[in-house]
Amino acid sequence: MKLATLVLAISLSLAAPLLLAASSGPQVQWLNAAADTDIDQAFAQGRAENKPVLLYWGAAWCPPCNQLKATLFNRQDFIARSQSFVAVNIDGDLPGAQKLGARFKVRGYPTLILATPEGTELTRLPGEVDAAQVMQVLQIGLARGRPVAAVLADARAGKPLKPDEWKLLAFYSWDTDEAQLVSAAERPGLLAQLAAACPASQPDVADRLLLKALAGSDDGKGMKADAGTVARVRKLLANPAAARTHMDVVTNSASEITKALANDPGKPRTQVVAAFDAALRKLQADATLSRADRFTALMARVDLARLEAPKNERHPKLPTALVAEVREHSARADREITDGYERQAVITAAAHTLGLAGLWSESDALLQANLPKSHSPYYLMSQLGGNARKLGRNDDALRWHEQAFNTSVGPATRLEWGARYISTLVELSPQDAARIERAAGSLFSEAAAQPNVFYERSARSLKRVGTQLKAWNKGPEQAAVIKRLQAQMDGVCAKLDAKDPQRASCEGVLKGSASAPA
């Protein structure tokens, strides 16, 4: 589908609610939002009906977003609960969505924000946790408690909190906070302090805060773990119920927590790895978890098994039984999954895990077999390009990234995939100035046709292209190309009002790139 046709189709769809649940039976009546006026109307509806507003940011290609659609948005209790709030869907590719991202400080997908009818942010829901736990946190927010910012302020001041307020802090989506509550650098220390201050009557809350602190500690450079912390985590991992409660942190951050607990190879690290592997095996076999969550547990086991190998090791030596499990579970997922949302979430994880295990040809085969089955095949093409790039198959990498860009759909997505393609060109084929100029010129032309393009994700994609071109500019031929591209961008920027905040972002795309180094 051509880009202009896609934008028209999206625009025409704005009058109708987006239905993300199953096609039969009750459904969540999502309201599409693509501009400030849409959001203002949603909050006006919330005030009129005395309901909070749930804002969901996502994208068609995003595996975690598809996981939410497959496990949360289609749950009957979520659908029933949606009558208690105004549900707003913001597709990252809708015109104006990136400007809304700047307004609400949203950069990653998925992001779920629960706000009062007056517009005060109550909390950010953790999209990566088990759906049943999301429902619990949602219920706390719907109970019209205090905003999480006020709760955190009291916690930092040493004031007593209600049990649900401690849980709100523990299950807050710290990964999508975007410095709303605290900077990323300060987060591990803050979470460790909260874990220490949490009442003994809520050990599960304290444990989660501790795990999140360790997960963000940058290989032990943040929070320093003592022997008591190591023992506490090992005890938690040995408790199946506790590991299940914190499944998302245990599976998504196993390596990070391990390195925070035991930064150097040796017996202490080996013991922590063994404790994690035992817990992950149980989670991998837990039928109450979604298939994507169980596969993430397997991925974490592979990640831990290659912990001592260099990060760029393409063919790690792993236990034979573990490699067999990766093959078996990947084949089973491909064979059994029928839901399109679930397939997008699980198959991409399976292909990544096959690569981690050194099974590159099988990863490629899985991705290629799923291209016709995916509603966002360009995402899989990017993975194929990544595989080829890691293995030094430069021509294949360029071909797949170019194909991914050419077939991608959605304004913001096309800019991001175009930026990836140009990055690959600059790195793998820097001598091909004509091809680089064509790709960059095409991307800038698409940007010129989009409204509000110099916000958030789209602005970052264009800035990334400028940074790549600046690094590439090492001679007269490159300087001539950039001079022509700069003239093209000057024309785009000139159409923006001097007072428009986008003007500076536009002018900064190629700033300092036009002259060749001496």
Side-chain angles (χ1 to χ4, degrees):
M1 182 183 291
K2 292 184 179 179
L3 180 61
T5 305
L6 176 74
V7 172
L8 177 60
I10 289 175
S11 299
L12 292 175
S13 73
L14 293 180
L18 178 66
L19 303 178
L20 293 178
S23 58
S24 61
Q27 298 177 341
V28 179
Q29 298 300 303
W30 293 93
L31 303 177
N32 281 342
D36 288 319
T37 53
D38 300 324
I39 293 293
D40 294 340
Q41 289 173 7
F43 278 102
Q45 179 179 334
R47 290 191 295 274
E49 299 176 0
N50 194 29
K51 293 179 180 179
V53 176
L54 180 69
L55 304 173
Y56 160 68
W57 267 266
W61 50 264
C62 161
C65 303
N66 283 281
Q67 170 72 355
L68 278 178
K69 295 170 188 176
T71 61
L72 177 65
F73 295 161
N74 61 355
R75 285 173 61 107
Q76 289 305 307
D77 54 352
F78 181 83
I79 294 170
R81 182 57 63 188
S82 70
Q83 300 299 312
S84 303
F85 54 82
V86 178
V88 181
N89 172 73
I90 304 167
D91 184 324
D93 277 311
L94 290 176
Q98 298 308 310
K99 185 179 180 181
L100 290 177
R103 172 177 170 179
F104 288 93
K105 304 297 187 293
V106 171
R107 307 192 85 180
Y109 306 145
T111 294
L112 289 159
I113 297 177
L114 185 66
T116 68
E118 294 71 35
T120 300
E121 188 169 312
L122 287 169
T123 192
R124 298 195 174 204
L125 301 175
E128 71 279 7
V129 305
D130 180 52
Q133 289 175 312
V134 179
M135 289 300 302
Q136 293 177 21
V137 182
L138 177 61
Q139 183 57 42
I140 293 173
L142 292 175
R144 300 297 180 90
R146 294 187 300 153
V148 68
V151 174
L152 178 60
D154 280 357
R156 299 181 86 163
K159 297 180 181 179
L161 303 181
K162 297 176 183 178
D164 274 355
E165 290 179 330
W166 276 111
K167 191 164 188 176
L168 196 68
L169 289 175
F171 283 89
Y172 177 72
S173 182
W174 295 99
D175 294 333
T176 62
D177 175 56
E178 302 303 341
Q180 294 297 287
L181 300 182
V182 66
S183 70
E186 297 174 296
R187 190 184 306 153
L190 170 64
L191 291 170
Q193 291 171 11
L194 292 174
C198 185
S201 59
Q202 291 183 270
D204 57 328
V205 171
D207 284 344
R208 183 175 183 83
L209 289 166
L210 177 63
L211 289 175
K212 294 294 286 186
L214 291 167
S217 288
D218 190 17
D219 297 358
K221 299 185 184 77
M223 177 185 173
K224 301 299 181 182
D226 55 20
T229 301
V230 175
R232 180 175 171 182
V233 173
R234 287 181 61 185
K235 181 180 179 181
L236 182 154
L237 293 172
N239 182 339
R244 175 65 173 78
T245 297
H246 308 296
M247 168 276 307
D248 58 303
V249 194
V250 172
T251 59
N252 288 317
S253 304
S255 291
E256 290 79 5
I257 294 173
T258 295
K259 286 184 282 189
L261 294 174
N263 195 34
D264 299 316
K267 185 176 179 181
R269 176 184 279 191
T270 300
Q271 292 173 335
V272 173
V273 168
F276 258 111
D277 190 69
L280 290 166
R281 284 174 182 269
K282 291 184 175 67
L283 293 172
Q284 184 184 322
D286 189 341
T288 68
L289 289 173
S290 72
R291 200 175 336 226
D293 290 332
R294 299 199 301 271
F295 213 104
T296 304
L298 175 58
M299 187 192 305
R301 291 180 59 210
V302 174
D303 209 24
L304 286 171
R306 50 178 294 151
L307 200 58
E308 309 304 337
K311 286 186 177 180
N312 62 351
E313 176 59 61
R314 304 307 180 206
H315 299 283
K317 295 181 179 179
L318 303 180
T320 303
L322 181 58
V323 173
E325 285 186 72
V326 173
R327 282 192 168 111
E328 175 192 348
H329 286 272
S330 298
R332 182 186 303 165
D334 189 33
R335 185 173 60 249
E336 295 180 355
I337 295 176
T338 57
D339 180 85
Y341 293 138
E342 184 183 19
R343 179 168 287 274
Q344 185 76 5
V346 178
I347 293 301
T348 51
H352 176 70
T353 307
L354 286 165
L356 281 178
L359 304 174
W360 296 102
S361 61
E362 294 172 50
S363 176
D364 284 351
L366 180 64
L367 290 168
Q368 292 188 54
N370 275 272
L371 288 175
K373 303 174 186 177
S374 172
H375 56 66
S376 305
Y378 49 87
Y379 188 92
L380 279 64
M381 292 173 188
S382 290
Q383 281 191 273
L384 284 161
N387 284 0
R389 192 170 182 173
K390 290 171 185 175
L391 296 174
R393 303 197 316 263
N394 292 353
D395 288 344
D396 286 342
L398 286 168
R399 176 172 59 84
W400 280 118
H401 279 292
E402 181 177 25
Q403 191 173 345
F405 172 43
N406 289 339
T407 59
S408 62
V409 294
T413 291
R414 285 193 56 75
L415 294 185
E416 182 169 341
W417 261 250
R420 293 182 187 183
Y421 171 45
I422 293 168
S423 175
T424 307
L425 269 175
V426 169
E427 181 179 336
L428 302 183
S429 189
Q431 74 286 352
D432 199 341
R435 190 176 178 185
I436 291 171
E437 183 173 6
R438 282 196 305 274
S442 173
L443 199 69
F444 292 161
S445 294
E446 290 199 20
Q450 296 181 27
N452 297 316
V453 72
F454 294 101
Y455 285 103
E456 287 302 330
R457 180 176 162 216
S458 295
R460 292 195 301 273
S461 296
L462 292 168
K463 184 65 175 178
R464 189 159 62 249
V465 171
T467 300
Q468 290 286 340
L469 292 174
K470 184 175 181 179
W472 174 70
N473 184 14
K474 295 180 179 178
E477 183 180 19
Q478 293 90 343
V481 168
I482 290 179
K483 185 176 181 180
R484 291 190 289 272
L485 292 172
Q486 180 69 71
Q488 182 180 356
M489 284 301 298
D490 287 344
V492 176
C493 301
K495 295 178 181 178
L496 297 170
D497 189 280
K499 296 180 181 179
D500 190 331
Q502 294 185 91
R503 181 71 176 261
S505 180
C506 179
E507 292 174 344
V509 169
L510 286 173
K511 188 176 182 180
S513 303
S515 301

